Amino acid sequence: KQEVTQIPAALSVPEGENLVLNCSFTDSAIYNLQWFRQDPGKGLTSLLLIQSSQREQTSGRLNASLDKSSGRSTLYIAASQPGDSATYLCAVGEAGTALIFGKGTTLSVSS
Amino acid sequence: DAGVIQSPRHEVTEMGQEVTLRCKPISGHNSLFWYRQTMMRGLELLIYFNNNVPIDDSGMPEDRFSAKMPNASFSTLKIQPSEPRDSAVYFCASSVPGGYGYTFGSGTRLTVV
């Protein structure tokens, strides 16, 4: 059974710092991997999707990488801002199944 | 498009009562998912449908939970009878095949007292 783990569970950084969020998964036979953002009391917003054949995806200050062989993905956030404060969730998709989520990393960026 | 629409946004009910949560997926999305989110367990898949047909309901906690998708534009998740441990945020999401365009609703916060 696929398991997704995110470390750390919480992270506090000052504004302007570059940071990395980590995600690991136990079964490398994945179809894709997605990173989502969740603001308090809100639903989830998709940030980046990496297909299994890809190594990374970029959107603005965000860069997500995927290493299937080691079962790892990282989300890199450059020049963090207070508006980046939220919970970031990693999810893996396997063929024919729904996304399986990690428990998330709650990020706090102070000004 | 208005996105995935869930109702109600908040529901407070007494133990033993029936609760029905509703979801309208994005038009053209043929996959629909129900998830439950708690602090302890995170986001758990309850059930998902492809083309209105339930594919995997192994995440449904017990027989008190049931879900239906009578047509491509509507789904319900019913809990009968409800218990305090069912208190959580329930999310509905929809997507096109392959997991692309995975879009979540705003969720229903259920409190069972």
Side-chain angles (χ1 to χ4, degrees), chain A residues 14-19 61 76-82 84 109:
Chain A
E15 182 177 6
E17 194 163 297
N18 302 325
L19 58 101
R61 294 182 295 108
Y76 175 82
I77 302 177
S80 58
Q81 303 171 358
D84 295 330
V109 182

Side-chain angles (χ1 to χ4, degrees), chain A residues 31-32 34 36 38 41-46 49 51 89 96-103, chain B residues 9 33 35 37 39-43 45 48 55 91 98-102 104-106 109:
Chain A
Y31 191 73
N32 59 45
Q34 299 189 46
F36 290 82
Q38 185 176 28
K42 305 290 187 182
L44 281 71
T45 301
S46 181
L49 182 152
Q51 298 183 48
L89 295 106
T97 70
L99 291 179
I100 299 171
F101 285 81
K103 291 187 176 181
Chain B
R9 288 297 309 276
F33 313 87
Y35 286 87
Q37 187 176 42
M39 288 291 292
M40 286 291 292
R41 301 174 69 90
L43 204 60
L45 175 70
Y48 82 94
I55 302 301
F91 286 103
Y100 300 101
Y102 224 95
F104 277 78
S106 297
R109 181 173 296 277

Side-chain angles (χ1 to χ4, degrees), chain A residues 7-103:
Chain A
I7 296 173
L11 180 64
S12 293
V13 300
E15 182 177 6
E17 194 163 297
N18 302 325
L19 58 101
V20 173
L21 307 182
N22 297 293
C23 172
S24 62
F25 46 94
T26 54
D27 187 343
S28 62
I30 64 171
Y31 191 73
N32 59 45
L33 184 142
Q34 299 189 46
W35 284 91
F36 290 82
R37 169 182 172 142
Q38 185 176 28
D39 292 290
K42 305 290 187 182
L44 281 71
T45 301
S46 181
L47 297 174
L48 291 164
L49 182 152
I50 310 176
Q51 298 183 48
S52 61
S53 59
Q54 297 175 321
R55 296 297 298 268
E56 65 178 341
Q57 282 287 333
T58 298
S59 176
R61 294 182 295 108
L62 305 180
N63 175 275
S65 67
L66 173 63
D67 184 342
K68 281 182 56 178
S69 62
S70 67
R72 291 182 174 182
S73 176
T74 61
L75 179 66
Y76 175 82
I77 302 177
S80 58
Q81 303 171 358
D84 295 330
S85 298
T87 297
Y88 292 82
L89 295 106
C90 167
V92 299
E94 299 172 338
T97 70
L99 291 179
I100 299 171
F101 285 81
K103 291 187 176 181

